[in-house]
Amino acid sequence: MQLILDFPTIGEPHYAQAVPADLIRNNGQLKLFKIEDNNHKYVTKGEKDSKVIREGNKVHIYMTAIRSHFSPDNIEGVKLGDEVYFHITNLEQDWDVPHGFSVKGATNAELLIMPGETSTLKWTPDRVGMFPIYCTDFCSALHQEMQGYVRVSPAGSNVPISFSLGKPVVE
Ligand SMILES: [Cu+2]
């Protein structure tokens, strides 16, 4: 490989390298994941399809991840005693951009969701409160903005399910 440029970038903790485009294009490194090909039972194919659905004491959250946010990122109406299922679809099309997912206080694993794929994390809240959700895989310079909140209300409360993107549920 003939290196044509090699330098640290100023103002960012990254290191840049440049090579001729042919080296990437002709060696199978250009891979795209079509979201239409995802036939997962709990897929969310676009942000407009993200939603939160209650079925008895189960709450199904159909969420998307793309740099640098989750949709929805504010969820309300989960109650103590519920089982929460985060079904997260990574909408990225580039092969090297996985996203992670975790909810603060979860006692099981985090997720690593590859581009175009859907994965589910089950969470059983053990107390009332506001719970941050966040990406656990460094995905871009704005990775740390990739977060949101789920409010858990007391068992028997009448807070309805609601969700939004980029603004508080209660204004
Ligand atoms: Cu991410």
Side-chain angles (χ1 to χ4, degrees):
M1 178 170 98
Q2 192 203 345
L3 200 61
I4 58 175
L5 202 58
D6 183 22
F7 62 97
T9 53
I10 294 166
E12 280 277 320
H14 300 313
Y15 196 81
Q17 292 176 324
V19 296
D22 284 355
L23 204 58
I24 306 293
R25 195 184 302 123
N26 301 341
N27 284 289
Q29 292 299 299
L30 189 65
K31 298 173 193 163
L32 295 176
F33 290 85
K34 289 189 191 153
I35 198 71
E36 309 90 69
D37 294 345
N38 180 331
N39 294 315
H40 194 283
K41 184 180 176 193
Y42 295 107
V43 68
T44 306
K45 297 204 173 185
E47 288 184 0
K48 66 177 183 353
D49 299 324
S50 58
K51 61 192 174 205
V52 181
I53 292 173
R54 171 177 289 287
E55 288 173 2
N57 74 329
K58 292 183 171 57
V59 177
H60 291 277
I61 300 173
Y62 292 78
M63 186 178 275
T64 60
I66 194 166
R67 286 163 290 175
S68 295
H69 60 274
F70 294 106
S71 172
D73 61 3
N74 271 301
I75 297 163
E76 214 162 320
V78 172
K79 298 179 220 173
L80 206 56
D82 284 344
E83 287 176 3
V84 182
Y85 295 84
F86 294 94
H87 306 293
I88 302 170
T89 300
N90 182 350
L91 295 178
E92 302 285 351
Q93 304 285 285
D94 298 324
W95 69 279
D96 62 346
V97 191
H99 287 291
F101 180 82
S102 190
V103 51
K104 189 167 187 281
T107 52
N108 52 4
E110 62 192 76
L111 297 179
L112 182 67
I113 313 139
M114 301 310 286
E117 293 189 350
T118 304
S119 296
T120 298
L121 182 79
K122 180 185 174 187
W123 174 52
T124 308
D126 61 358
R127 62 187 191 282
V128 166
M130 291 292 285
F131 292 83
I133 55 173
Y134 50 95
C135 181
T136 52
D137 193 68
F138 189 92
C139 50
S140 79
L142 298 178
H143 164 68
Q144 286 182 310
E145 296 185 12
M146 208 162 166
Q147 54 169 290
Y149 291 94
V150 179
R151 185 197 299 271
V152 176
S153 299
S157 95
N158 60 2
V159 178
I161 291 286
S162 62
F163 55 94
S164 64
L165 169 61
K167 60 176 188 197
V169 174
V170 179
E171 304 202 45

